[in-house]
Amino acid sequence: MKQIVKELSMFIEKDGQRFIKEGKALIQTKRVEIKEGKQIEEEVFYNPAQIINRDLTVLTIDTFSENRQPITILDALSASGLRSVRFAQEIQNIKEIYANDLSLASLALIEENIKLNEISNVKIYNMDANKLMKEDIKFDVIDLDPYGTVCPFLDSAIHACDDSLLCITCTDSRVLCGPDTQKCFAQYGTARTKMNCFAENGLRTLLYTISQAAGRLGKAIKPLISFYGEFYLRVFVHVIKDKKETHKLFSQIGNLFFCQSCQSFHVYPYGQKEEKSYKINKKPIPSKCEVCGSLFKINGPVWIDEINNIEFVKKMLTNLETKHTHFQTFDQIIGKLTGIINQHEVSSNPYTYNMTYLASNLKCSNISKKEIYAGFQSLGYKIAQCYLQVDLYKTNAPNQAIYDIIKTWKKIKYGDNYLKNIQENSPAYTILTSEIQYKPDFTFKPTFNSAKMFYPNLEGFGPKSKAIQRKIIELEGEQAIKKQKID
Protein backbone atom coordinates (compact mmCIF):
# COMPACT_ATOMS: atom_id res chain seq x y z
CA MET A 1 0.00 0.00 0.00
CA LYS A 2 1.31 3.44 -0.85
CA GLN A 3 1.82 6.26 1.62
CA ILE A 4 -1.30 8.38 2.17
CA VAL A 5 0.15 11.17 0.00
CA LYS A 6 3.46 10.80 -1.77
CA GLU A 7 3.90 14.56 -1.61
CA LEU A 8 1.41 17.39 -1.32
CA SER A 9 2.56 18.15 -4.85
CA MET A 10 5.90 17.79 -6.55
CA PHE A 11 7.55 21.11 -7.41
CA ILE A 12 10.19 21.17 -10.13
CA GLU A 13 12.47 24.12 -10.99
CA LYS A 14 13.51 24.42 -14.63
CA ASP A 15 15.03 27.40 -16.50
CA GLY A 16 13.95 29.77 -13.73
CA GLN A 17 10.37 28.53 -13.90
CA ARG A 18 8.52 26.55 -11.24
CA PHE A 19 6.51 23.55 -12.43
CA ILE A 20 4.05 21.35 -10.56
CA LYS A 21 3.87 17.61 -11.05
CA GLU A 22 0.41 16.25 -10.23
CA GLY A 23 -0.93 12.92 -11.44
CA LYS A 24 0.61 12.46 -14.87
CA ALA A 25 0.53 16.19 -15.63
CA LEU A 26 3.35 18.74 -15.51
CA ILE A 27 2.06 22.30 -15.33
CA GLN A 28 3.02 25.82 -14.40
CA THR A 29 0.72 28.21 -12.56
CA LYS A 30 2.90 31.29 -13.02
CA ARG A 31 4.13 32.76 -16.29
CA VAL A 32 6.93 35.34 -16.55
CA GLU A 33 7.59 37.42 -19.68
CA ILE A 34 10.01 40.32 -20.35
CA LYS A 35 8.46 42.81 -22.76
CA GLU A 36 9.43 46.42 -23.59
CA GLY A 37 11.54 46.83 -20.46
CA LYS A 38 8.87 45.37 -18.23
CA GLN A 39 8.59 42.05 -16.48
CA ILE A 40 5.05 40.70 -16.71
CA GLU A 41 4.07 38.01 -14.21
CA GLU A 42 0.79 36.17 -14.70
CA GLU A 43 -0.46 33.75 -12.08
CA VAL A 44 -3.63 31.66 -11.72
CA PHE A 45 -5.32 29.85 -8.85
CA TYR A 46 -3.86 26.55 -7.66
CA ASN A 47 -4.59 24.80 -4.35
CA PRO A 48 -2.50 21.71 -3.58
CA ALA A 49 -4.93 20.77 -0.79
CA GLN A 50 -7.45 19.83 -3.48
CA ILE A 51 -5.33 17.10 -5.03
CA ILE A 52 -7.79 14.53 -3.63
CA ASN A 53 -10.61 16.46 -5.33
CA ARG A 54 -8.85 16.25 -8.70
CA ASP A 55 -7.80 12.61 -8.22
CA LEU A 56 -11.39 11.70 -7.35
CA THR A 57 -12.65 13.61 -10.40
CA VAL A 58 -10.34 11.74 -12.77
CA LEU A 59 -11.47 8.43 -11.26
CA THR A 60 -15.18 9.29 -11.41
CA ILE A 61 -15.09 10.50 -15.02
CA ASP A 62 -13.04 7.49 -16.07
CA THR A 63 -15.59 5.14 -14.45
CA PHE A 64 -18.53 7.04 -15.95
CA SER A 65 -17.01 6.86 -19.44
CA GLU A 66 -16.90 3.06 -19.47
CA ASN A 67 -19.09 1.40 -22.13
CA ARG A 68 -19.82 4.77 -23.75
CA GLN A 69 -18.81 6.38 -27.00
CA PRO A 70 -15.73 8.61 -26.65
CA ILE A 71 -16.80 11.49 -24.41
CA THR A 72 -16.63 15.29 -24.63
CA ILE A 73 -15.63 17.10 -21.42
CA LEU A 74 -16.09 20.76 -20.50
CA ASP A 75 -13.63 22.12 -17.96
CA ALA A 76 -15.70 25.28 -17.52
CA LEU A 77 -13.43 27.22 -15.14
CA SER A 78 -10.07 25.89 -16.18
CA ALA A 79 -7.59 28.32 -14.51
CA SER A 80 -4.16 26.76 -15.29
CA GLY A 81 -5.68 23.94 -17.35
CA LEU A 82 -4.49 21.36 -14.82
CA ARG A 83 -7.74 19.39 -14.85
CA SER A 84 -7.92 19.37 -18.65
CA VAL A 85 -4.33 18.16 -18.90
CA ARG A 86 -4.95 15.41 -16.37
CA PHE A 87 -8.16 14.33 -18.09
CA ALA A 88 -6.33 14.06 -21.41
CA GLN A 89 -3.47 12.04 -19.93
CA GLU A 90 -5.28 9.83 -17.42
CA ILE A 91 -8.65 9.04 -19.05
CA GLN A 92 -8.59 6.98 -22.22
CA ASN A 93 -12.12 7.22 -23.59
CA ILE A 94 -12.06 10.93 -24.56
CA LYS A 95 -13.05 12.53 -27.84
CA GLU A 96 -12.22 16.13 -26.93
CA ILE A 97 -11.89 18.49 -23.99
CA TYR A 98 -13.06 22.11 -23.85
CA ALA A 99 -10.77 24.10 -21.51
CA ASN A 100 -12.46 27.43 -20.81
CA ASP A 101 -11.61 30.45 -18.68
CA LEU A 102 -12.54 34.11 -18.86
CA SER A 103 -9.13 35.25 -17.62
CA LEU A 104 -6.51 36.13 -20.25
CA ALA A 105 -3.80 35.11 -17.80
CA SER A 106 -5.39 31.67 -17.59
CA LEU A 107 -5.69 31.48 -21.36
CA ALA A 108 -1.95 31.96 -21.84
CA LEU A 109 -1.11 29.39 -19.17
CA ILE A 110 -3.55 26.81 -20.54
CA GLU A 111 -1.90 27.11 -23.98
CA GLU A 112 1.58 26.69 -22.51
CA ASN A 113 0.57 23.75 -20.30
CA ILE A 114 -1.05 21.95 -23.23
CA LYS A 115 2.15 22.38 -25.28
CA LEU A 116 4.27 21.34 -22.31
CA ASN A 117 2.35 18.05 -22.02
CA GLU A 118 2.10 17.52 -25.82
CA ILE A 119 -1.69 17.17 -25.84
CA SER A 120 -3.74 17.47 -29.02
CA ASN A 121 -7.38 16.89 -28.06
CA VAL A 122 -7.94 20.03 -25.94
CA LYS A 123 -9.77 23.06 -27.34
CA ILE A 124 -9.22 26.37 -25.57
CA TYR A 125 -12.04 28.88 -25.07
CA ASN A 126 -11.98 32.36 -23.57
CA MET A 127 -15.67 32.83 -22.76
CA ASP A 128 -18.02 33.47 -19.89
CA ALA A 129 -18.78 29.94 -18.65
CA ASN A 130 -22.53 30.55 -18.61
CA LYS A 131 -22.53 31.76 -22.22
CA LEU A 132 -20.49 28.77 -23.35
CA MET A 133 -22.85 26.32 -21.63
CA LYS A 134 -25.82 28.03 -23.27
CA GLU A 135 -24.35 27.35 -26.72
CA ASP A 136 -25.91 24.55 -28.76
CA ILE A 137 -23.47 21.96 -27.40
CA LYS A 138 -24.26 18.95 -25.24
CA PHE A 139 -21.37 17.75 -23.12
CA ASP A 140 -20.95 14.25 -21.73
CA VAL A 141 -19.14 15.66 -18.69
CA ILE A 142 -19.13 19.16 -17.19
CA ASP A 143 -16.71 20.01 -14.40
CA LEU A 144 -17.53 23.10 -12.33
CA ASP A 145 -15.00 24.08 -9.67
CA PRO A 146 -15.75 27.75 -8.89
CA TYR A 147 -14.33 29.94 -6.17
CA GLY A 148 -17.25 29.89 -3.71
CA THR A 149 -20.75 28.80 -4.67
CA VAL A 150 -21.79 27.00 -7.85
CA CYS A 151 -25.25 28.60 -7.87
CA PRO A 152 -24.59 31.20 -10.63
CA PHE A 153 -23.64 28.39 -13.03
CA LEU A 154 -26.26 25.75 -12.25
CA ASP A 155 -29.02 26.58 -14.75
CA SER A 156 -26.57 26.88 -17.65
CA ALA A 157 -24.81 23.66 -16.69
CA ILE A 158 -28.05 21.67 -16.53
CA HIS A 159 -29.02 23.13 -19.92
CA ALA A 160 -25.83 21.70 -21.43
CA CYS A 161 -26.35 18.24 -19.88
CA ASP A 162 -28.11 15.37 -21.63
CA ASP A 163 -27.37 11.95 -20.12
CA SER A 164 -24.29 13.67 -18.70
CA LEU A 165 -22.06 13.66 -15.65
CA LEU A 166 -22.08 16.95 -13.73
CA CYS A 167 -19.14 17.42 -11.34
CA ILE A 168 -19.63 20.24 -8.83
CA THR A 169 -17.46 21.77 -6.14
CA CYS A 170 -18.64 24.37 -3.61
CA THR A 171 -16.03 25.98 -1.37
CA ASP A 172 -18.56 28.00 0.64
CA SER A 173 -18.74 25.44 3.45
CA ARG A 174 -19.48 28.25 5.91
CA VAL A 175 -22.78 28.72 4.05
CA LEU A 176 -23.63 25.06 3.43
CA CYS A 177 -22.38 23.63 6.73
CA GLY A 178 -21.54 26.51 9.06
CA PRO A 179 -23.14 29.49 10.79
CA ASP A 180 -24.23 31.50 7.73
CA THR A 181 -27.77 30.10 7.60
CA GLN A 182 -29.39 33.23 6.16
CA LYS A 183 -27.12 33.17 3.12
CA CYS A 184 -27.77 29.43 2.76
CA PHE A 185 -31.49 30.10 2.48
CA ALA A 186 -30.93 32.96 0.01
CA GLN A 187 -28.61 30.97 -2.28
CA TYR A 188 -29.68 27.35 -1.85
CA GLY A 189 -33.30 27.67 -0.71
CA THR A 190 -32.84 25.59 2.45
CA ALA A 191 -33.55 26.72 6.01
CA ARG A 192 -30.75 24.96 7.91
CA THR A 193 -30.58 24.29 11.61
CA LYS A 194 -27.50 23.46 13.67
CA MET A 195 -26.73 19.73 13.89
CA ASN A 196 -23.80 17.39 14.39
CA CYS A 197 -24.05 15.80 10.95
CA PHE A 198 -23.40 19.14 9.21
CA ALA A 199 -21.39 17.63 6.32
CA GLU A 200 -24.20 15.32 5.19
CA ASN A 201 -26.72 18.12 5.67
CA GLY A 202 -24.59 20.40 3.49
CA LEU A 203 -24.40 17.77 0.75
CA ARG A 204 -28.16 17.17 0.89
CA THR A 205 -28.77 20.92 0.70
CA LEU A 206 -26.56 21.16 -2.40
CA LEU A 207 -28.19 18.14 -4.05
CA TYR A 208 -31.63 19.64 -3.40
CA THR A 209 -30.58 22.84 -5.17
CA ILE A 210 -29.19 20.91 -8.15
CA SER A 211 -32.33 18.78 -8.36
CA GLN A 212 -34.53 21.89 -8.51
CA ALA A 213 -32.46 23.39 -11.33
CA ALA A 214 -32.77 20.09 -13.20
CA GLY A 215 -36.50 19.79 -12.56
CA ARG A 216 -37.18 23.23 -14.04
CA LEU A 217 -35.71 21.99 -17.31
CA GLY A 218 -37.57 18.67 -17.25
CA LYS A 219 -34.51 16.74 -16.10
CA ALA A 220 -33.63 14.63 -13.08
CA ILE A 221 -30.44 13.81 -11.18
CA LYS A 222 -28.94 10.60 -9.85
CA PRO A 223 -26.11 11.19 -7.35
CA LEU A 224 -23.17 8.87 -8.01
CA ILE A 225 -20.81 9.91 -5.22
CA SER A 226 -20.74 12.74 -2.67
CA PHE A 227 -17.65 13.96 -0.84
CA TYR A 228 -16.82 16.40 1.96
CA GLY A 229 -13.37 17.94 2.26
CA GLU A 230 -13.80 20.19 5.32
CA PHE A 231 -13.67 23.51 3.46
CA TYR A 232 -15.45 22.29 0.33
CA LEU A 233 -18.17 19.90 -0.84
CA ARG A 234 -17.93 17.84 -4.02
CA VAL A 235 -20.79 15.97 -5.73
CA PHE A 236 -20.97 13.96 -8.94
CA VAL A 237 -24.46 13.59 -10.37
CA HIS A 238 -25.81 11.89 -13.48
CA VAL A 239 -28.20 14.32 -15.22
CA ILE A 240 -30.86 12.64 -17.35
CA LYS A 241 -33.95 13.69 -19.27
CA ASP A 242 -36.55 11.21 -18.05
CA LYS A 243 -40.16 12.09 -17.28
CA LYS A 244 -40.65 9.28 -14.76
CA GLU A 245 -37.51 10.21 -12.87
CA THR A 246 -38.59 13.86 -12.82
CA HIS A 247 -41.90 12.89 -11.22
CA LYS A 248 -39.99 10.84 -8.65
CA LEU A 249 -38.40 14.06 -7.40
CA PHE A 250 -41.55 14.63 -5.35
CA SER A 251 -40.55 11.80 -3.02
CA GLN A 252 -36.82 12.61 -3.03
CA ILE A 253 -37.24 16.01 -1.37
CA GLY A 254 -38.46 16.61 2.15
CA ASN A 255 -37.94 18.23 5.53
CA LEU A 256 -35.98 17.03 8.52
CA PHE A 257 -37.77 17.58 11.83
CA PHE A 258 -34.84 17.90 14.20
CA CYS A 259 -34.71 17.97 18.01
CA GLN A 260 -31.81 20.11 19.21
CA SER A 261 -32.29 18.91 22.80
CA CYS A 262 -31.52 15.24 22.13
CA GLN A 263 -30.53 15.16 18.41
CA SER A 264 -33.40 12.82 17.45
CA PHE A 265 -35.01 13.47 14.09
CA HIS A 266 -37.77 12.53 11.67
CA VAL A 267 -37.42 12.63 7.87
CA TYR A 268 -40.62 13.74 6.17
CA PRO A 269 -40.82 13.39 2.34
CA TYR A 270 -43.08 15.82 0.48
CA GLY A 271 -44.49 13.07 -1.70
CA GLN A 272 -45.03 9.32 -1.66
CA LYS A 273 -45.65 6.74 -4.34
CA GLU A 274 -49.24 5.61 -4.76
CA GLU A 275 -49.76 2.94 -7.41
CA LYS A 276 -48.28 4.42 -10.62
CA SER A 277 -47.78 8.04 -9.58
CA TYR A 278 -46.46 10.20 -6.76
CA LYS A 279 -48.92 12.00 -4.51
CA ILE A 280 -48.53 14.50 -1.69
CA ASN A 281 -47.59 12.92 1.64
CA LYS A 282 -50.68 12.86 3.87
CA LYS A 283 -49.02 11.35 6.92
CA PRO A 284 -49.29 13.54 10.04
CA ILE A 285 -46.37 15.86 10.72
CA PRO A 286 -44.80 15.21 14.13
CA SER A 287 -45.41 18.05 16.59
CA LYS A 288 -42.70 17.21 19.13
CA CYS A 289 -39.90 14.76 19.85
CA GLU A 290 -41.16 11.38 21.05
CA VAL A 291 -37.89 10.76 22.93
CA CYS A 292 -37.58 13.85 25.15
CA GLY A 293 -40.76 15.83 24.48
CA SER A 294 -39.01 18.96 23.10
CA LEU A 295 -40.27 20.86 20.09
CA PHE A 296 -38.78 20.09 16.68
CA LYS A 297 -36.93 22.56 14.47
CA ILE A 298 -37.43 22.34 10.72
CA ASN A 299 -34.43 21.74 8.47
CA GLY A 300 -35.26 21.83 4.79
CA PRO A 301 -36.12 21.34 2.11
CA VAL A 302 -33.28 18.89 1.48
CA TRP A 303 -32.49 15.88 -0.71
CA ILE A 304 -33.57 12.79 1.28
CA ASP A 305 -32.76 10.04 -1.24
CA GLU A 306 -29.38 8.31 -1.45
CA ILE A 307 -26.30 10.48 -1.98
CA ASN A 308 -24.09 7.66 -3.35
CA ASN A 309 -24.65 4.93 -5.92
CA ILE A 310 -23.10 1.86 -4.28
CA GLU A 311 -22.68 -0.13 -7.52
CA PHE A 312 -20.96 2.82 -9.19
CA VAL A 313 -18.68 3.27 -6.17
CA LYS A 314 -17.70 -0.42 -6.36
CA LYS A 315 -16.67 0.11 -9.99
CA MET A 316 -14.66 3.15 -8.93
CA LEU A 317 -12.82 1.09 -6.34
CA THR A 318 -11.94 -1.55 -8.95
CA ASN A 319 -10.69 1.11 -11.37
CA LEU A 320 -8.67 2.80 -8.62
CA GLU A 321 -6.85 -0.41 -7.75
CA THR A 322 -6.21 -1.42 -11.37
CA LYS A 323 -5.76 1.79 -13.38
CA HIS A 324 -4.97 4.68 -11.05
CA THR A 325 -2.40 3.45 -8.56
CA HIS A 326 -0.33 6.56 -9.38
CA PHE A 327 -2.72 8.86 -7.50
CA GLN A 328 -1.03 10.91 -4.79
CA THR A 329 -4.11 10.44 -2.58
CA PHE A 330 -4.57 6.74 -3.37
CA ASP A 331 -4.92 5.65 0.28
CA GLN A 332 -7.34 8.44 1.17
CA ILE A 333 -9.63 7.62 -1.74
CA ILE A 334 -9.56 3.88 -1.16
CA GLY A 335 -10.54 4.53 2.47
CA LYS A 336 -13.48 6.76 1.52
CA LEU A 337 -14.77 4.40 -1.18
CA THR A 338 -14.50 1.42 1.16
CA GLY A 339 -16.33 3.40 3.85
CA ILE A 340 -19.19 4.16 1.45
CA ILE A 341 -19.46 0.51 0.45
CA ASN A 342 -19.37 -0.63 4.10
CA GLN A 343 -22.46 1.44 4.91
CA HIS A 344 -24.49 0.06 1.97
CA GLU A 345 -27.00 -1.69 4.25
CA VAL A 346 -28.02 1.62 5.83
CA SER A 347 -27.25 4.03 2.99
CA SER A 348 -30.95 4.58 2.28
CA ASN A 349 -31.39 6.04 5.78
CA PRO A 350 -30.77 9.80 5.63
CA TYR A 351 -28.62 11.46 8.29
CA THR A 352 -26.48 10.14 11.11
CA TYR A 353 -26.04 10.14 14.89
CA ASN A 354 -23.08 11.30 16.97
CA MET A 355 -22.91 8.60 19.65
CA THR A 356 -20.34 10.56 21.69
CA TYR A 357 -22.69 13.55 21.82
CA LEU A 358 -25.73 11.41 22.68
CA ALA A 359 -23.83 9.79 25.55
CA SER A 360 -22.65 13.15 26.89
CA ASN A 361 -26.24 14.38 26.63
CA LEU A 362 -27.13 11.78 29.25
CA LYS A 363 -23.97 12.60 31.24
CA CYS A 364 -22.21 9.31 30.75
CA SER A 365 -18.79 8.44 29.35
CA ASN A 366 -18.18 7.34 25.78
CA ILE A 367 -19.33 3.91 24.69
CA SER A 368 -16.71 1.86 22.84
CA LYS A 369 -17.20 1.10 19.16
CA LYS A 370 -17.46 -2.62 19.96
CA GLU A 371 -20.23 -2.00 22.51
CA ILE A 372 -22.06 0.34 20.15
CA TYR A 373 -22.14 -2.32 17.43
CA ALA A 374 -23.08 -5.03 19.94
CA GLY A 375 -26.00 -2.97 21.22
CA PHE A 376 -27.45 -2.31 17.77
CA GLN A 377 -26.80 -5.73 16.24
CA SER A 378 -28.19 -7.60 19.26
CA LEU A 379 -31.50 -5.82 18.57
CA GLY A 380 -31.36 -6.77 14.87
CA TYR A 381 -30.50 -3.30 13.56
CA LYS A 382 -27.82 -2.34 11.08
CA ILE A 383 -25.15 0.24 11.88
CA ALA A 384 -22.09 1.61 10.06
CA GLN A 385 -19.59 4.36 10.69
CA CYS A 386 -20.17 7.41 8.49
CA TYR A 387 -17.45 8.14 5.91
CA LEU A 388 -18.00 11.92 6.13
CA GLN A 389 -17.27 12.64 9.83
CA VAL A 390 -15.35 10.51 12.27
CA ASP A 391 -17.78 10.42 15.25
CA LEU A 392 -20.96 9.73 13.30
CA TYR A 393 -22.90 6.49 12.71
CA LYS A 394 -25.65 5.66 10.26
CA THR A 395 -28.33 3.18 11.31
CA ASN A 396 -31.83 1.94 10.54
CA ALA A 397 -32.75 1.87 14.24
CA PRO A 398 -35.55 4.18 15.48
CA ASN A 399 -34.75 7.12 17.78
CA GLN A 400 -36.16 5.35 20.84
CA ALA A 401 -33.98 2.27 20.30
CA ILE A 402 -30.84 4.41 20.00
CA TYR A 403 -31.42 6.08 23.35
CA ASP A 404 -32.49 2.81 24.96
CA ILE A 405 -29.09 1.39 24.03
CA ILE A 406 -27.33 4.28 25.76
CA LYS A 407 -29.67 4.16 28.78
CA THR A 408 -29.11 0.42 29.24
CA TRP A 409 -25.35 0.87 28.99
CA LYS A 410 -25.44 3.68 31.59
CA LYS A 411 -27.52 1.61 34.01
CA ILE A 412 -24.96 -1.22 33.77
CA LYS A 413 -21.96 1.08 34.25
CA TYR A 414 -23.31 3.63 36.74
CA GLY A 415 -25.71 1.57 38.89
CA ASP A 416 -27.18 3.70 41.70
CA ASN A 417 -25.53 6.83 40.24
CA TYR A 418 -27.66 6.50 37.12
CA LEU A 419 -29.40 9.87 37.68
CA LYS A 420 -26.52 11.67 39.40
CA ASN A 421 -26.12 15.31 38.22
CA ILE A 422 -29.27 15.04 36.09
CA GLN A 423 -31.58 18.01 36.62
CA GLU A 424 -35.26 17.18 37.04
CA ASN A 425 -37.59 18.21 34.20
CA SER A 426 -34.63 18.41 31.80
CA PRO A 427 -34.69 16.51 28.48
CA ALA A 428 -32.01 14.15 29.85
CA TYR A 429 -34.15 13.41 32.94
CA THR A 430 -37.18 12.72 30.75
CA ILE A 431 -35.17 10.28 28.64
CA LEU A 432 -33.48 8.47 31.54
CA THR A 433 -36.67 8.01 33.58
CA SER A 434 -38.77 6.73 30.68
CA GLU A 435 -39.35 2.99 30.24
CA ILE A 436 -36.77 1.04 28.24
CA GLN A 437 -38.57 -0.58 25.32
CA TYR A 438 -35.52 -2.03 23.53
CA LYS A 439 -33.15 -4.15 25.63
CA PRO A 440 -29.72 -4.59 24.00
CA ASP A 441 -27.24 -7.33 24.84
CA PHE A 442 -23.69 -5.96 25.15
CA THR A 443 -22.23 -9.48 25.36
CA PHE A 444 -23.31 -10.01 21.75
CA LYS A 445 -20.33 -10.55 19.43
CA PRO A 446 -20.61 -7.81 16.79
CA THR A 447 -19.28 -7.84 13.25
CA PHE A 448 -18.14 -4.74 11.43
CA ASN A 449 -15.98 -3.82 8.48
CA SER A 450 -13.24 -1.35 9.19
CA ALA A 451 -11.47 1.01 6.82
CA LYS A 452 -9.13 3.89 7.54
CA MET A 453 -11.29 6.76 6.32
CA PHE A 454 -9.81 9.72 8.17
CA TYR A 455 -6.29 11.14 8.02
CA PRO A 456 -4.72 14.24 9.58
CA ASN A 457 -4.67 17.32 7.37
CA LEU A 458 -1.40 18.00 5.64
CA GLU A 459 0.61 21.20 5.84
CA GLY A 460 -0.92 23.86 3.62
CA PHE A 461 -4.41 22.36 3.84
CA GLY A 462 -7.30 24.79 3.54
CA PRO A 463 -8.89 27.33 1.21
CA LYS A 464 -6.67 29.75 -0.68
CA SER A 465 -7.23 33.37 -1.64
CA LYS A 466 -7.67 34.24 -5.29
CA ALA A 467 -4.39 34.56 -7.16
CA ILE A 468 -3.18 37.90 -8.56
CA GLN A 469 -3.76 37.36 -12.24
CA ARG A 470 -1.32 39.92 -13.59
CA LYS A 471 1.58 41.86 -12.10
CA ILE A 472 3.65 44.36 -14.06
CA ILE A 473 7.12 45.23 -12.81
CA GLU A 474 9.11 48.06 -14.42
CA LEU A 475 12.76 47.14 -14.76
CA GLU A 476 15.27 49.90 -13.88
CA GLY A 477 18.80 48.65 -14.34
CA GLU A 478 19.28 45.70 -12.04
CA GLN A 479 16.38 46.64 -9.76
CA ALA A 480 12.79 45.64 -10.30
CA ILE A 481 10.19 48.03 -8.91
CA LYS A 482 6.60 46.91 -8.54
CA LYS A 483 4.47 49.30 -10.58
CA GLN A 484 0.92 48.02 -10.44
CA LYS A 485 -1.34 45.04 -10.00
CA ILE A 486 -4.18 44.30 -12.34
CA ASP A 487 -6.79 41.81 -11.13
Side-chain angles (χ1 to χ4, degrees), residues 252-265:
Q252 295 172 315
I253 304 299
N255 282 331
L256 181 77
F257 290 88
F258 184 76
C259 178
Q260 288 194 326
S261 296
C262 72
Q263 303 287 300
S264 296
F265 57 79

Side-chain angles (χ1 to χ4, degrees), residues 20 59 83 87 97 101 108 117 145 151 211 246 311 316 328 338 430 463 468 473 478 480 484:
I20 295 168
L59 177 61
R83 288 174 183 264
F87 296 160
I97 300 167
D101 206 285
N117 289 272
D145 187 14
C151 290
S211 72
T246 306
E311 293 307 313
M316 288 179 66
Q328 288 161 287
T338 304
T430 301
I468 297 169
I473 301 173
E478 295 181 355
Q484 59 181 327

Side-chain angles (χ1 to χ4, degrees), residues 119-327:
I119 295 168
S120 60
N121 61 342
V122 176
K123 293 182 178 180
I124 304 174
Y125 284 81
N126 179 219
M127 292 179 64
D128 177 278
N130 279 318
K131 289 183 179 179
L132 177 56
M133 290 186 288
K134 284 292 181 71
E135 295 285 325
D136 191 22
I137 307 172
K138 297 298 181 186
F139 298 99
D140 298 297
V141 178
I142 296 178
D143 189 4
L144 285 170
D145 187 14
Y147 190 88
T149 180
V150 75
C151 290
F153 305 99
L154 265 184
D155 288 344
S156 301
I158 297 292
H159 171 82
C161 285
D162 188 5
D163 188 25
S164 308
L165 175 66
L166 182 56
C167 318
I168 288 176
T169 299
C170 287
T171 58
D172 56 338
S173 58
R174 179 183 174 84
V175 177
L176 282 165
C177 305
D180 206 342
T181 55
Q182 292 184 12
K183 193 171 184 179
C184 181
F185 184 77
Q187 289 191 330
Y188 296 94
T190 294
R192 263 194 317 104
T193 189
K194 185 179 180 181
M195 62 180 67
N196 286 315
C197 51
F198 54 82
E200 182 174 347
N201 197 40
L203 289 167
R204 291 186 178 280
T205 298
L206 176 56
L207 288 169
Y208 159 72
T209 307
I210 299 169
S211 72
Q212 295 304 288
R216 286 192 292 270
L217 295 175
K219 299 178 182 180
I221 67 166
K222 292 185 175 182
L224 299 180
I225 181 169
S226 303
F227 180 77
Y228 170 69
E230 293 198 25
F231 69 91
Y232 68 91
L233 294 89
R234 182 71 161 161
V235 296
F236 300 87
V237 299
H238 186 190
V239 180
I240 57 174
K241 193 160 188 176
D242 186 308
K243 191 175 181 180
K244 289 183 179 180
E245 288 295 327
T246 306
H247 290 167
K248 187 179 177 182
L249 183 62
F250 201 16
S251 65
Q252 295 172 315
I253 304 299
N255 282 331
L256 181 77
F257 290 88
F258 184 76
C259 178
Q260 288 194 326
S261 296
C262 72
Q263 303 287 300
S264 296
F265 57 79
H266 279 280
V267 177
Y268 190 88
Y270 289 159
Q272 57 186 0
K273 191 170 183 179
E274 293 182 6
E275 296 179 356
K276 295 182 180 180
S277 61
Y278 291 89
K279 304 290 184 181
I280 191 167
N281 189 354
K282 296 179 181 179
K283 293 180 181 179
I285 296 173
S287 60
K288 62 180 182 179
C289 176
E290 83 280 14
V291 176
C292 71
S294 300
L295 295 176
F296 280 123
K297 288 199 172 183
I298 298 177
N299 180 90
V302 290
W303 178 266
I304 59 172
D305 206 346
E306 300 212 28
I307 63 173
N308 299 296
N309 182 311
I310 300 298
E311 293 307 313
F312 185 85
V313 172
K314 288 179 180 178
K315 292 178 182 178
M316 288 179 66
L317 185 58
T318 299
N319 285 341
L320 176 66
E321 295 175 321
T322 56
K323 297 164 63 178
H324 298 285
T325 56
H326 65 282
F327 281 175

